[in-house]
Amino acid sequence: MSALSALLAKPPTRTQPAGEPLTDHLGATLDALFAVQRRIGTLHVLDTGLRERFWTLAAWAALLHDAGKIADGFQSMMATRIGWGHRHEVLSLGFLGWLVAEAEDRAWVATGVATHHRALGGGEGRPSLSQLYPADITAEELARMLGPYDASATVTLVTWMRQRATKDGLLARPSGLATDVRSGELVTRAHRHLKDLLHTWVEEAVPRPAGLAGVLLQGAVTMADHLSSGHSTLRTEQSFDAGYPDRLTARLAGDGHRLRPHQLAAAQVSGHLVLRAWTGSGKTEGGLLWAARQIDEIRASTGGTPRLFYTLPYLASINAMTDRLASGDLREHGGAEAVGVSHSRAASYHLARSLCGADEDPLSGGSDSGVEARAAQKAVARAEATRLFRELVRIGTPYQLMRGALAGPVHASILLDSANSVFVLDELHAYDPTRLGYLLATAACWTELGGRVAVLSATAPNALISLVRETLTATSTHTEPDRPAPPELTVVEADYQTAPRRHRLVRRHEHLTDPTTVELIRQRLDAGQSVLVAANNIADAQLLRAELTDYDGWLLHSRFRRTDRTRIEQAIMSHFRSGLRPDDRREGLVVATQVVEVSLDVDFDVLFTSGAPLDALAQRFGRVNRTGTRPPADVVVCRPEMRPRRADQRSRTARMPALYADGVYDEEPTRLASKILDAHHGTEISEESLVRWLDSVYDSPWGEQWAQDVRRAREAWTSSFFSWEEPFADRTWAAARFDELFDGVEGILAQDRDEYAARLRGGGSRSTGRLLAADLLIPLPNYARGLGRWDRDLDVLVIDGQYSETDGLTEIQPSRRATVSYELGELI
């Protein structure tokens, strides 16, 4: 084994000064694959024959995936860090015939091996394998490209892999394969398998079941590879299990409470769930009780350990839910370590938790900068653990999960991890039909993969419930008798007759920024009340805060540096947090945009808001008299200005530009809401009436068009991403489109460039440096890419903007080549 021991899979690092030996990595990847198998269990979505062999095929691919690293060019790269320019996975294909006996099995194993780093076809981003090694390349040309390799190590590596495969039961009869391993045939064999792969997956039409199976196999190999490379382990105990209902009942009893009828009903549901219950009625606990039953049923059916994904639409609410579970339901069952935070700023959340002392292992000693750097290293490690699928309970945005639709070497693992899982979609929003349609299409995929879905909402209209039902219970295309029947959907509704009346509606004909309205706000503040002012756009919010600058308070919108927004949110939640006793309540002012709707657990005495669609208004109402323990509080709804967006006004093709409420919300749903509110001026609003009003909005011709738009988006997403006709084609275009739809862009101010660069250098590593620097990032609309310049040295967008810590971004000076301008009046 001497020739083999010198071969490396990973280069030397601080933790592994000698590098990682190839056989150590291959063995660790196989071990990780078995851990993934134990977690996922049986994949009933696969046809029977492949279902029975899937994990064996994936194990072979895991064992073989990096065998081609024996190439001299790759080994030289390990020593010199100078690129080789070729793909080790192609040479890995040459080992198949010496280890996998059946031709059909070899084809599947080859798929898992070849696709764990690069796309097979296309290539807008990194070159695909078909671009690097075209179908008409000869074996001799391939040999020249890949270069020499250690012939004796080839034979020794085959012997080692056979021994390891026999030990793990993959190779029951090693004598059934040829013992004469001719190392000179390695590239010839690799060439043949590569041509077969390109013919099967790139040149020919791919049946949908085969395409899906291929992506799941790719996901299994990439997940195992990432786990072994990150030296990570998977948690094995699901905290939300059959014992959770008893633990929850005991906890509630200790506080003098008991489970409500709708919570008990949710706990008995087997299958998908829609739970409609008002804020403060235990919606979250109802969803978790439902999840515990589904986890046990899926475990019994598949033999795996289902994951629980709890999704929320905003980062602040995600972080609050994570803290709530870690310190509550999971306190004695893993605490914070049992919960993964899955959103784009997960590492920032862990950093803030460390620095504020919330972690059980506080950091101490050293300078402030040293403490922060060590906290950043720990935060990066925690976020990386979640990225490597460690935890069984994860809190995040649905958009992080939707990335599984992109598949490929980066995202196929997300798709596989979605199989046999449980999903709770809290506060699923109805008023963006495109994003809703895309999310529903993804939820249908989760269902196909053996998952179960719950939707929790205080005000979901019946039209939304109907769309959820038709999406999750569509007729299955699978008819095999040994496949479990698809789950049904049950709607559970709280008794809205028992809900407290929390609000009294006041209508104003003036705009929110009108001097008359401002004077009314002043009167409430002078009376010692806590006042929330919710504007439809940033320009109005900044104007109102400037008008009320003589009162203590805060301005909150989406265009702050991360560090400033975190500081403002923490101050608001501390000052106005829900559940305070009457004697502890404080006066004060918050002026905000839509970001306040569901992101903060706060409670105010009165709300002044601009008119908007009823869905959005209902969320804003929920920030006032939140617990319903006080008499009904006023929610004052002003009339918005209906106007076209400036881009529409400038368009030469738009004859009659569409109108939007304050430049943000569509005109028709806002007008429908306004008509309902006008008819109920001065009345107390019940939770039941809000649901009834929403149903009337969505029962209108506008609502019918909305439902058609949702279905159209759902079908477009399904046909684009879930047809699996080209499962291993390059999807760089799709990733860019996804980021444009859901992520926007972040940038830094020109005056922050030097500080950003210093933080990048001061973290001790690239990841920790980026985390420390991220506090300077400002979220921007996607079109802002054209307003600044991309700094290639720092890999970040730099804008020339006017900014203050209290007001946020107020202006961007566009670059000379810009064709757009920054529109504060159309941003939230």
Side-chain angles (χ1 to χ4, degrees), residues 1 4 23 26 60 63-64 67 70 92 94-100 151-166 171 174 177-183 186 189:
M1 296 287 180
L4 200 55
T23 51
L26 294 178
W60 273 120
L63 181 61
L64 281 157
I70 66 167
S92 298
F95 288 87
L96 282 165
W98 295 321
L99 293 154
V100 184
S152 63
T154 303
V155 177
T156 309
L157 182 57
V158 171
T159 301
W160 178 88
M161 287 193 289
R162 284 180 173 180
Q163 291 172 346
R164 179 61 201 261
T166 303
L171 193 58
L177 293 167
T179 57
D180 183 12
V181 178
R182 299 177 181 177
S183 59
L186 185 62
R189 291 171 176 270

Side-chain angles (χ1 to χ4, degrees), residues 134-255:
D136 59 355
I137 194 173
T138 66
E140 291 75 17
E141 291 171 326
L142 182 62
R144 284 195 297 272
M145 296 173 76
L146 297 178
Y149 53 88
D150 189 326
S152 63
T154 303
V155 177
T156 309
L157 182 57
V158 171
T159 301
W160 178 88
M161 287 193 289
R162 284 180 173 180
Q163 291 172 346
R164 179 61 201 261
T166 303
K167 171 179 172 292
D168 289 303
L170 298 179
L171 193 58
R173 297 186 305 276
S175 59
L177 293 167
T179 57
D180 183 12
V181 178
R182 299 177 181 177
S183 59
E185 297 177 358
L186 185 62
V187 176
T188 303
R189 291 171 176 270
H191 176 260
R192 182 168 62 251
H193 286 300
L194 179 62
K195 290 198 67 169
D196 290 344
L197 281 172
L198 296 180
H199 177 76
T200 299
W201 298 111
V202 178
E203 299 168 7
E204 293 291 313
V206 178
R208 187 180 186 280
L212 175 56
V215 172
L216 293 175
L217 181 63
Q218 179 188 46
V221 177
T222 54
M223 187 187 295
D225 188 24
H226 293 158
L227 283 169
S228 63
S229 296
H231 304 285
S232 182
T233 58
L234 299 176
R235 290 186 67 92
T236 58
E237 295 184 8
Q238 174 55 267
S239 303
F240 290 99
D241 55 12
Y244 172 69
D246 290 340
R247 298 198 303 271
L248 175 61
T249 300
R251 178 168 65 82
L252 291 175
D255 296 332

Side-chain angles (χ1 to χ4, degrees), residues 722-751:
F722 298 128
S723 66
W724 310 118
E725 293 174 350
E726 296 180 306
F728 303 119
D730 177 79
R731 291 196 176 188
T732 302
W733 65 271
R737 178 184 170 195
F738 189 97
D739 291 342
E740 184 175 321
L741 280 169
F742 298 115
D743 287 349
V745 67
E746 291 182 309
I748 61 171
L749 298 165
Q751 59 262 38

Side-chain angles (χ1 to χ4, degrees), residues 351 354-355 357 359-365 370-376 378-379:
L351 177 61
S354 292
L355 292 177
D359 274 345
E360 295 178 2
D361 179 23
L363 297 155
S364 60
V371 168
E372 188 168 353
R374 291 196 301 278
K378 181 176 180 180

Side-chain angles (χ1 to χ4, degrees), residues 338-354:
V339 186
V341 183
S342 180
H343 59 63
S344 59
R345 301 179 195 169
S348 296
Y349 163 79
H350 292 304
L351 177 61
R353 186 177 177 86
S354 292

